[in-house]
Each structure stands twice: as structure tokens, then as C-alpha cells.
């Protein structure tokens, strides 16, 4: 009788541990800034896009329920650090600075910063931005690059849409934005064009709290499966049409 009890309690412990090690909860909370099509945007009250779909497949693979929290881009890393969210997934570029605060998964796609200007602008390359007024989303890599441009005035917006609006109203000369969102904004407005020359080449990855190494391993394993099966490419190709 006593033996049976011990076995039963040992079993319970193992079950509890099994849940515990997979991240303590059955939810996977993703922090994002859903104003960044085609990676994340709000459509009909729902957050859709490449990141949302990849996150859903990862959550499914880990047996968790995906919960997406929309917030300011520059609050995302803190949300992950404090445990308010489990992952940062927001077309987030891997940078050495960010690596001081969070860990990154293996990258799931490549990206770049580009320049968007109004048709008729004299800007033809990044060098031409010297001394100009440049719009960026606050806390992004575009914001960081803009700081290196000699004599530039930086206008920081909480959303890229606002920067694009300011550009259309001639309040600023250019917007530095990630390539694919840049393409979306240009496609929505005849008055805008994108400069061909890319500023930088970057990679997007999923951010996880430093201490959450188990979740990072689990995510990397899921990502590998999704990459090998072609699922990631499938999602990306659905949103980004090859030229
Ligand atoms: N890739 C840039 C960065 O990591 C911009 C990302 C902006 N993402 C967003 N969801 N608004 O800084």
C-alpha cells in the first residue's frame, strides 16, 4: 500500500515536472507591435501576418495556446525580460545590443533597412540623407542607423504609419524602414517610392528571456522542423510575392 502511494506520488511529480520544464504554462505569450505588415498587422480585429502565422505553428508544436499582445515596439524587450510575455516576435532584428538583454532564436528570415521618399525626391542613396530630416519608428534599427547620418534630424514615431504620414505631408524628407513593410507602404501610395540601395542586411529572430533557456531550445527545435518541412517558406511566400 505504502509502495503504491510512493509510486503514485512519484508519477505526479514527474507529470508536474514535465509541465514545469516546458515553460510553466500552457500559454505562449507573444509580444509584438502589430503595425508592421506583412509581418504583423491588425485585420478585422485579428493580428495577422508572417510572424503571427509562424508563432501559431510554434505554439501548436509546443502544445501551447498562442496569445498575442500588441504593444509599443520599444516596450517589447522589457515585456519579455519581466516575464509579461514569453517571446518577442516583431520582425525584430538580431543586434549585439539587444543580445545583452535577451537571447535570440536561430533567425527565421533575412531583412534589410531601406529608404522611402516621395516621388521626385533627390535622394538616390543612403549618402544623400546627410543633413535631412528622417522619420523612423522609435527604438528600431532604422532609428539607430539614422543616428549615424551626419547632420540628420531624426523624427521618432511610435508607428511607421505615422512616419509615412509625415512624409506625405512633407514634414520629413525620408523614412528608414524595413524592406518588406517599406514595399507595402509604397504599394499603398502612388506618391511614394523606395530607394533600391539597401542600407544594411539584417536577420529576424525570436527573442526569449535570458533565463528561459528551455523555451529557447524548444523554439529552436520547432523552427528547425518548420524550416525543414518548408512551412516557413510557405508562409513567407504567401505574404511576399517574388518579383
Ligand atoms: N527590424 C527592425 C528592428 O528590429 C524594426 C522592427 C519593427 N517591428 C515592428 N513590429 N514594428 O528594429
Amino acid at each position: 500500500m505504502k509502495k503504491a502511494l510512493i509510486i503514485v506520488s512519484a508519477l505526479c511529480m514527474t507529470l508536474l515536472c514535465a509541465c514545469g520544464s516546458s515553460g510553466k504554462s500552457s500559454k505562449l505569450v507573444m509580444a509584438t507591435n502589430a503595425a508592421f505588415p506583412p509581418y504583423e498587422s491588425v485585420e478585422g480585429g485579428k493580428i495577422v501576418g508572417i510572424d503571427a502565422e509562424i508563432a501559431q505553428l510554434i505554439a501548436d508544436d509546443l502544445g501551447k495556446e498562442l496569445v498575442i499582445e500588441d504593444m509599443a515596439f520599444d516596450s517589447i524587450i522589457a515585456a519579455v525580460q519581466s516575464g509579461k510575455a514569453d517571446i518577442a516576435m516583431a520582425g525584430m532584428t538580431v543586434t549585439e545590443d539587444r543580445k545583452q538583454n535577451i537571447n535570440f532564436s536561430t533567425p527565421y528570415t533575412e531583412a534589410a533597412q531601406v529608404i522611402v521618399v516621395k516621388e521626385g525626391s533627390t535622394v538616390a542613396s543612403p549618402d544623400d540623407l546627410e543633413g535631412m530630416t528622417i522619420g523612423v519608428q522609435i527604438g528600431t534599427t532604422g532609428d539607430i542607423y539614422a543616428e549615424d547620418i551626419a547632420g540628420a534630424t531624426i523624427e521618432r514615431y511610435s508607428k511607421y504609419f505615422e512616419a509615412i504620414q509625415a512624409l506625405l505631408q512633407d514634414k520629413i524628407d525620408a523614412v528608414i524602414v524595413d524592406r518588406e513593410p517599406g514595399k507595402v507602404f509604397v504599394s499603398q501610395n502612388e506618391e511614394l517610392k523606395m530607394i533600391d540601395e539597401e542600407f544594411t542586411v539584417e536577420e529576424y529572430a525570436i527573442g526569449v528571456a535570458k533565463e528561459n533557456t528551455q523555451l529557447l531550445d524548444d523554439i529552436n527545435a520547432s523552427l528547425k522542423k518548420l524550416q525543414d518541412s518548408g512551412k516557413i517558406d510557405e508562409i513567407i511566400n504567401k505574404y511576399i510575392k517574388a518579383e
Side-chain angles (χ1 to χ4, degrees):
M1 186 58 195
K2 237 189 183 154
K3 213 173 183 180
L5 252 176
I6 292 169
I7 293 170
V8 167
S9 60
L11 202 80
C12 287
M13 292 291 284
T14 349
L15 283 175
L16 275 174
C17 287
C19 300
S21 66
S22 64
K24 287 186 197 73
S25 90
S26 58
K27 285 194 172 119
L28 184 70
V29 181
M30 158 177 160
T32 198
N33 171 246
F36 196 64
Y39 297 97
E40 45 264 329
S41 58
V42 181
E43 249 173 54
K46 246 194 93 191
I47 295 172
V48 299
I50 294 171
D51 287 347
E53 289 204 25
I54 294 175
Q56 185 59 60
L57 293 186
I58 292 172
D60 291 348
D61 187 47
L62 301 183
K64 289 170 182 268
E65 181 201 339
L66 180 67
V67 178
I68 304 181
E69 301 273 5
D70 192 6
M71 60 185 74
F73 183 76
D74 63 344
S75 303
I76 295 175
I77 290 180
V80 168
Q81 281 183 304
S82 69
K84 251 182 69 190
D86 301 307
I87 60 170
M89 200 170 182
M92 188 176 276
T93 303
V94 179
T95 71
E96 289 308 315
D97 259 9
R98 289 174 182 164
K99 276 192 202 165
Q100 309 289 311
N101 298 314
I102 50 170
N103 282 333
F104 281 104
S105 70
T106 46
Y108 57 91
T109 193
E110 59 80 37
Q113 296 296 308
V114 298
I115 300 164
V116 172
V117 289
K118 272 180 102 170
E119 283 290 356
S121 161
T122 55
V123 175
S125 87
D127 292 340
D128 297 332
L129 291 178
E130 282 190 15
M132 292 200 163
T133 304
I134 303 165
V136 297
Q137 181 178 38
I138 188 165
T140 58
T141 49
D143 186 352
I144 295 161
Y145 300 134
E147 283 179 1
D148 289 335
I149 299 169
T153 305
I154 309 174
E155 292 293 340
R156 297 182 171 86
Y157 300 89
S158 64
K159 290 182 176 151
Y160 282 112
F161 294 119
E162 293 159 11
I164 293 292
Q165 220 40 52
L167 179 62
L168 287 167
Q169 293 164 0
D170 296 314
K171 288 181 182 154
I172 56 176
D173 301 307
V175 173
I176 299 179
V177 58
D178 296 51
R179 184 187 61 231
E180 297 307 325
K183 279 190 200 163
V184 173
F185 298 136
V186 168
S187 77
Q188 289 168 346
N189 210 300
E190 281 185 355
E191 282 180 86
L192 300 178
K193 69 173 182 185
M194 203 165 102
I195 306 302
D196 288 331
E197 192 178 328
E198 288 173 352
F199 234 80
T200 52
V201 176
E202 309 184 330
E203 279 180 319
Y204 293 165
I206 301 171
V208 179
K210 287 269 184 193
E211 64 277 12
N212 219 344
T213 52
Q214 182 64 51
L215 182 62
L216 185 68
D217 291 347
D218 292 348
I219 286 174
N220 280 333
S222 284
L223 272 176
K224 171 124 185 37
K225 276 191 251 175
L226 296 170
Q227 260 148 358
D228 290 348
S229 67
K231 282 259 168 32
I232 303 255
D233 284 342
E234 209 175 281
I235 293 171
I236 292 174
N237 293 338
K238 188 169 111 186
Y239 286 91
I240 301 173
K241 300 282 168 252
E243 274 124 85

